[in-house]
Amino acid sequence: MSASVLAIDAGQTGMKVRLKNGIAHEDVLFGGIRTHVPLLPQLAEVVRGAIDRTGGTPTVVTAGISGLTDRDADADALLAMLSGTGVRKVILAHDSTTSFLGALGDTRGAVVAAGTGVVTLAVGRDAIARVDGWGHLMGDAGSGYWIGQQALEAVMRDYDGRGPHTALSDVVRETWPELDQAYIALQGTDDRVRVVASYAAHVARLAGEGDDVAIAITHRAAAQLALSVTTAIRRVAHVEDDRLAVCTLGGVFRSRLLKTEFDAALRADQGRTDITVVAPQGQGIDGAIALADLAAPHPLAAAVHSAGAA
């Protein structure tokens, strides 16, 4: 990599930016993507801010972006917005692509990244398959938001008498002492997605302490995440494949019980291809850097949007 690269790992809770020149690099942090305003001006603002803060002179900008759609993946438009910065090339991809490249590099297999949301990407010999990542309203099964929503529903079932008692009720009362008013307060909260997802950590803790409801939620989340992985792998696997790697990323997998249940679910549904769970080689920001050198024949190249030339 001869060009100076400014890479962005853009998520809803924060954006990590890395300026890499040769072997040296510098990282800076920015706030998360604001989904209710246009994306590209936000990225342009981050690029200019990172240049100001680091004093760097990148010629290539790469970005892995949470929830990137074809409508927003206009690399030409972003390049135009960066006029005067010295940037000559822009490369954009969904963060599932950069998560995969960061975690597995050129290895074939699947990466499931589960934080506030969740997306799974599998890469085979000549095809890729994305599963879920459809947002909290239509998908993200097993994500931090999904777990938090399940927790809040269980609390209200406990409150009504429709479900078993759970220690999660006491946790929620710390924020909303009057549980029958909690839903109104939550609906009026601007960052309600983050608030709901924050309860995933309480589910993990209470599951470890033996709360039956938290344990059940954790089991269901693990099953959903494993289903996404096995589905994605089936869509890209060849009969000749011997073994495919699976890598897990994101805060949801900090739950020891969830990770154990996830691994067990994978073992129970091996199908025609052996699945080996491996540790990640790197993070999403490493995958964003790797976009700059992604070869055209690579299966992931079809999922990348670029403009300009370095």
Side-chain angles (χ1 to χ4, degrees):
M1 183 189 304
S2 57
S4 176
V5 178
L6 191 150
I8 305 171
D9 182 21
Q12 296 179 47
T13 56
M15 286 189 256
K16 186 174 186 178
V17 180
R18 175 169 295 173
L19 180 66
K20 186 174 178 64
N21 192 353
I23 61 173
H25 73 265
E26 182 176 356
D27 292 348
V28 289
L29 300 176
F30 291 84
I33 294 170
R34 302 183 301 279
T35 56
H36 60 287
V37 296
L39 171 66
L40 296 182
Q42 296 180 68
L43 294 178
E45 181 181 359
V46 166
V47 171
R48 292 181 181 275
I51 291 173
D52 289 342
R53 287 168 61 176
T54 64
T57 55
T59 56
V60 178
V61 167
T62 65
I65 305 159
S66 174
L68 182 68
T69 63
D70 289 342
R71 180 193 63 189
D72 290 323
D74 190 340
D76 287 291
L78 180 57
L79 184 60
M81 292 178 189
L82 297 175
S83 175
T85 64
V87 174
R88 300 197 298 268
K89 185 173 184 179
V90 167
I91 307 171
L92 305 177
H94 191 275
D95 65 342
S96 60
T97 297
T98 49
S99 291
F100 188 98
L101 289 171
L104 290 181
D106 201 32
T107 304
R108 300 301 183 254
V111 171
V112 51
T116 298
V118 62
V119 64
T120 298
L121 185 68
V123 177
R125 300 185 183 194
D126 53 15
I128 63 175
R130 171 182 162 184
V131 172
D132 211 341
W134 308 129
H136 68 280
L137 293 178
M138 297 177 68
D140 285 352
S143 68
Y145 180 92
W146 187 94
I147 292 170
Q149 189 278 329
Q150 294 280 301
L152 292 175
E153 180 179 340
V155 166
M156 300 320 298
R157 286 180 176 274
D158 177 12
Y159 177 82
D160 287 339
R162 292 178 293 144
H165 175 66
T166 171
L168 288 164
S169 297
D170 294 331
V171 172
V172 175
R173 279 195 177 94
E174 292 176 7
T175 302
W176 300 297
E178 301 297 330
L179 287 181
D180 60 349
Q181 300 301 306
Y183 74 106
I184 295 296
L186 181 58
Q187 289 173 15
T189 302
D190 289 338
D191 60 345
R192 66 181 69 88
V193 172
R194 181 198 62 79
V195 171
V196 172
S198 71
Y199 286 98
H202 295 290
V203 171
R205 175 178 59 82
L206 291 172
E209 295 175 4
D211 183 87
D212 289 339
V213 171
I215 289 171
I217 293 171
T218 301
H219 285 181
R220 294 198 299 272
Q224 291 293 329
L225 294 168
L227 176 61
S228 289
V229 169
T230 55
T231 300
I233 284 178
R234 286 194 184 98
R235 287 170 54 186
V236 303
H238 280 256
V239 291
E240 297 88 356
D241 286 335
D242 217 11
R243 189 174 296 273
L244 292 176
V246 170
C247 191
T248 60
L249 302 174
V252 164
F253 288 102
R254 294 191 191 112
S255 166
R256 184 175 301 178
L257 176 61
L258 185 144
K259 183 62 166 59
T260 298
E261 291 294 321
F262 172 84
D263 291 351
L266 288 186
R267 289 194 300 270
D269 188 11
Q270 291 282 307
R272 66 186 182 188
T273 302
D274 286 337
I275 296 172
T276 303
V277 179
V278 300
Q281 299 174 12
Q283 301 176 333
I285 191 66
D286 301 298
I289 288 286
L291 281 178
D293 292 324
L294 188 65
H298 195 287
L300 283 172
V304 172
H305 308 263
S306 64

